[in-house]
């Protein structure tokens, strides 16, 4: 069963029949257009609140162990956030084994730069940009916000990010774990530098760190360690343990605005947009 089927199963995949759409969708926009651009992976979708201007926008990055996933699976999320007044950009990025780190994070940095430079054309405010990611996507948005080199390469900085929401994210890449071998390799130094935890040495954008009460092994400890590192750096953060959730249901339920994590995220955006 794929993600879209599961979203349908939990009853959040489609608006009520006859209900007018509260969003506009702009699909398959290339955020990289040079001769080496990947026509399938270097594209994104933009969801905007219908009839509204000057709204905050979140760039959402999908999970999939850095090896799978597609923006099209998250259309429901884009529509849901846009209906609640938050613009949503959902990007693809290149996947392993075709590429290896740092290609994934470099693509996300380019997608963020595109969003900053272009969201005004769709009604959003370029100074109210947020990041959100699930699983591998949580790793990527966290690394983007903590290691300045990737945004710097795109003439951006962490100052362009108003907040980061990481859902069941990965904060430490372990060179001894097989799950990381294909996307990151076995070099310990490379894996350490690919870890968001290694870069929390100063103040970062505000973080909302969420994990499931029955999440994958190590992810709960990683989330707590990330919170502790941000606290030590005197950087604002919220740490949320989501009850009755696992690594998958935390994102399946997040698309519903009745979900506690979705509510916390919308409050997080509202608070940090001021």
């Amino acid at each position: 069963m794929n993600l879209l089927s599961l979203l349908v199963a939990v009853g959040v995949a489609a608006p009520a029949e006859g209900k007018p759409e509260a969003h506009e969708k702009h699909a398959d926009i290339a955020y990289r257009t040079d001769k080496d651009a990947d026509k399938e992976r270097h594209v994104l979708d933009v969801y905007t609140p219908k009839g509204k201007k000057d709204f905050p926008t979140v760039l959402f990055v999908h999970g999939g162990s850095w090896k799978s996933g597609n923006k099209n699976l998250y259309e429901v999320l884009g529509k849901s956030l846009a209906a609640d007044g938050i613009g949503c950009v959902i990007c693809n990025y290149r996947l392993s084994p075709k590429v290896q780190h740092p290609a994934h994070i470099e693509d996300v940095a380019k997608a963020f730069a595109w969003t900053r430079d272009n969201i005004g054309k769709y009604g959003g405010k370029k100074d109210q940009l947020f990041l959100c990611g699930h699983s591998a996507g949580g790793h990527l948005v966290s690394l983007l916000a903590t290691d300045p080199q990737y945004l710097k390469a795109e003439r951006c900085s962490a100052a362009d990010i108003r907040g980061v929401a990481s859902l069941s994210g990965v904060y430490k890449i372990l060179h001894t774990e097989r799950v990381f071998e294909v996307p990151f390799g076995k070099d310990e130094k490379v894996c350490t530098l690919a870890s968001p935890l290694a870069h929390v040495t100063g103040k970062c954008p505000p973080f909302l760190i969420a994990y499931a009460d029955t999440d994958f092994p190590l992810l709960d400890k990683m989330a707590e360690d990330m919170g502790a590192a941000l606290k030590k750096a005197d950087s604002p953060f919220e740490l949320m343990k989501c009850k009755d959730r696992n690594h998958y249901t935390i994102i399946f339920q997040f698309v519903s605005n009745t979900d506690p994590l979705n509510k916390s995220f919308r409050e997080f955006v509202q608070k940090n947009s001021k």
Side-chain angles (χ1 to χ4, degrees), residues 109-117 129 144 148-161:
K110 285 186 180 296
F112 180 82
W114 183 95
T115 303
R116 186 199 63 174
D117 294 342
L129 300 182
L144 191 67
Q149 65 172 309
Y150 302 108
L151 285 175
K152 185 177 179 181
E154 302 300 326
R155 299 182 180 180
C156 299
S157 75
D160 295 311
I161 302 170

Side-chain angles (χ1 to χ4, degrees), residues 21-46:
E21 298 285 6
H23 72 279
E24 293 181 348
K25 179 182 178 181
H26 310 270
D28 298 322
I29 302 168
Y31 65 84
R32 179 176 165 182
T33 57
D34 61 90
K35 64 181 179 65
D36 295 321
D38 186 314
K39 292 182 179 180
E40 179 183 354
R41 303 310 307 179
H42 289 134
V43 292
L44 51 77
D45 296 338
V46 179

Side-chain angles (χ1 to χ4, degrees), residues 28-235:
D28 298 322
I29 302 168
Y31 65 84
R32 179 176 165 182
T33 57
D34 61 90
K35 64 181 179 65
D36 295 321
D38 186 314
K39 292 182 179 180
E40 179 183 354
R41 303 310 307 179
H42 289 134
V43 292
L44 51 77
D45 296 338
V46 179
Y47 299 85
T48 59
K50 194 168 185 177
K52 294 186 179 181
K53 299 289 184 183
D54 297 332
F55 46 82
T57 299
V58 57
L59 172 65
F60 180 81
V61 182
H62 68 75
S65 301
W66 305 272
K67 296 185 289 186
S68 66
N70 191 291
K71 64 180 177 59
N72 298 335
L73 296 174
Y74 298 85
E75 181 175 11
V76 180
L77 176 60
K79 290 179 177 180
S80 174
L81 290 176
D84 284 327
I86 301 172
C88 185
V89 176
I90 305 179
C91 68
N92 280 350
Y93 54 92
R94 288 171 293 170
L95 301 171
S96 298
K98 187 175 181 179
V99 299
Q100 198 171 51
H101 174 79
H104 325 99
I105 186 66
E106 289 172 346
D107 287 352
V108 174
K110 285 186 180 296
F112 180 82
W114 183 95
T115 303
R116 186 199 63 174
D117 294 342
N118 292 278
I119 196 61
K121 300 173 186 177
Y122 300 89
K125 294 193 72 174
K126 65 180 294 185
D127 62 351
Q128 291 188 6
L129 300 182
F130 293 79
L131 296 171
C132 181
H134 170 246
S135 192
H139 162 264
L140 291 168
V141 298
S142 299
L143 185 62
L144 191 67
T146 55
D147 186 346
Q149 65 172 309
Y150 302 108
L151 285 175
K152 185 177 179 181
E154 302 300 326
R155 299 182 180 180
C156 299
S157 75
D160 295 311
I161 302 170
R162 298 301 292 265
V164 182
S166 178
L167 320 181
S168 290
V170 180
Y171 308 102
K172 188 173 184 179
I173 305 300
L174 303 167
H175 74 287
T176 54
E177 294 291 329
R178 288 189 64 185
V179 68
F180 302 125
E181 184 177 329
V182 172
F184 296 95
K186 296 182 178 181
D187 187 286
E188 183 175 5
K189 183 177 180 181
V190 170
C191 290
T192 297
L193 291 175
S195 304
L197 266 168
H199 302 284
V200 185
T201 55
K203 198 162 187 178
C204 302
F207 266 76
L208 172 61
I209 301 169
Y211 65 100
D213 58 356
T214 54
D215 219 317
F216 284 169
L218 300 179
L219 293 191
D220 52 354
K221 179 66 162 56
M222 284 191 190
E224 291 164 1
D225 288 348
M226 187 68 175
L230 290 164
K231 183 177 181 179
K232 184 177 180 181
D234 196 27
S235 196

